[in-house]
Amino acid sequence: MSTPKVTVRQVIDAVERHAPLNLQESWDNSGLQVGHGDTAVSGVLVTVDVTPERIDEAVAAGANMIVSHHPLIFKGLKSIIGQTRTQQAVEKAIRNDISVYSAHTSLDNAADGLSVAFARHIGASIVEPLVPSSPGAATGCGVICELPAAMSPNILCEAVRRAFGISSVRHSEAALRPETIRRIAVCTGAGGSLIDEAVRHHADAYITGEIRYHDFIDFADKIFLIECGHFETEEIAKDVLAAFITEAFPYLSVLKSKNEKNPVIYIN
């Protein structure tokens, strides 16, 4: 029996059943970036970012579709002449017939999106969105959750670090906070602007990818802050997106990028 044909549009539909485009923020550019919906899909490579190297990886793997978290095209392109890495990636995708679809804040805000996946990965149970899409909605940016047992700030940092294989995390002054943490807020990626929301929800701790220096000072006596890195908190997108697609098409080759690395280099 031959394997059923899967089109780009069908893969998109599988992702958007979980992360519909109407959940994305007004400034975002989630959606189909390059390609056509009726193209037959030979395989899918799932990534955080779309770079020229990821196009090469897809070609080498025999995949003619990339599903990413961060959009390939975020700001408007006035030309495609290879002067920027975005232009180079777009050109390579077109030359190699690679379709590119991105689920950015549509995935962030989904009911089973990145923050939810991050929280569950450390064993926390979901309470409600940090910033709901609308009053009472199960969707929204970030999540409020509860740990199965109270932890000290240092043990929580170590649990997060080990759960995601993070080399190091930054945190605020633990001595200014209660000795144990149970209720936490999570927002993957650049969630530093939502610290006030975490405080408003009476979270003991807030975990996100990026926090400004002065926020560590200003909120030191209000909430325990843990900064894990943008890429580190969003690499789980590959697991989430691959699961959405494989659930719909178990016979389709769906690969998570093995060569993608954090563009930020740390010296320990």
Side-chain angles (χ1 to χ4, degrees):
M1 181 181 295
S2 61
T3 302
K5 173 184 174 182
V6 178
T7 66
V8 167
R9 181 71 257 169
Q10 289 175 308
V11 172
I12 292 172
D13 288 344
V15 172
E16 292 184 358
R17 276 196 287 273
H18 298 271
L21 289 182
N22 63 7
L23 290 180
Q24 72 175 314
E25 303 293 337
S26 59
W27 46 263
D28 196 14
N29 191 40
S30 295
L32 185 61
Q33 313 277 296
V34 176
H36 301 279
D38 59 358
T39 300
V41 177
S42 61
V44 179
L45 180 71
V46 183
T47 70
V48 176
D49 295 293
V50 186
T51 63
E53 294 80 11
R54 299 291 73 73
I55 303 296
D56 292 339
E57 186 178 359
V59 172
N64 69 342
M65 184 174 185
I66 291 177
V67 174
S68 72
H69 180 46
H70 292 148
L72 167 58
I73 303 172
F74 195 73
K75 298 178 181 178
L77 294 176
K78 294 186 177 181
S79 61
I80 304 176
I81 54 177
Q83 288 189 337
T84 67
R85 284 175 58 76
T86 297
Q87 291 180 16
Q88 293 162 18
V90 170
E91 185 176 14
K92 274 195 171 187
I94 293 172
R95 287 184 180 276
N96 290 280
D97 295 323
I98 305 291
S99 298
V100 179
Y101 177 88
S102 304
H104 188 211
T105 55
S106 57
L107 182 62
D108 289 333
N109 295 339
D112 50 358
L114 293 198
S115 295
V116 170
F118 189 101
R120 286 175 174 162
H121 197 65
I122 60 174
S125 57
I126 308 305
V127 176
E128 60 183 329
L130 179 60
V131 182
S133 303
S134 59
T139 58
C141 187
V143 67
I144 296 294
C145 50
E146 290 188 354
L147 297 168
M151 297 181 181
S152 71
N154 287 340
I155 290 178
L156 176 59
C157 286
E158 182 63 13
V160 171
R161 191 188 70 78
R162 287 181 178 274
F164 294 94
I166 301 171
S167 59
S168 62
V169 300
R170 302 200 306 168
H171 63 78
S172 58
E173 177 55 66
L176 298 178
R177 297 296 309 146
E179 293 184 0
T180 58
I181 291 170
R182 184 74 183 271
R183 183 178 175 90
I184 62 175
V186 172
C187 182
T188 56
S193 63
L194 300 181
I195 300 174
D196 274 324
E197 291 293 330
V199 172
R200 189 176 67 81
H201 280 83
H202 306 290
D204 301 317
Y206 180 48
I207 304 172
T208 189
E210 297 180 30
I211 297 174
R212 299 182 307 169
Y213 169 83
H214 286 287
D215 288 335
F216 283 104
I217 297 174
D218 295 343
F219 290 94
D221 61 346
K222 296 181 177 66
I223 191 168
F224 183 63
L225 300 175
I226 303 176
E227 182 195 70
C228 300
H230 194 123
F231 181 85
E232 289 86 346
T233 59
E234 293 196 330
E235 191 174 19
I236 199 171
K238 290 188 283 191
D239 295 330
V240 174
L241 290 168
F244 291 165
I245 301 167
T246 301
E247 177 186 38
F249 309 106
Y251 43 83
L252 182 65
S253 174
V254 180
L255 307 172
K256 292 177 283 188
S257 175
K258 295 181 179 179
N259 300 329
E260 187 171 38
K261 296 179 180 179
N262 190 344
V264 181
I265 306 300
Y266 299 87
I267 298 177
N268 296 317

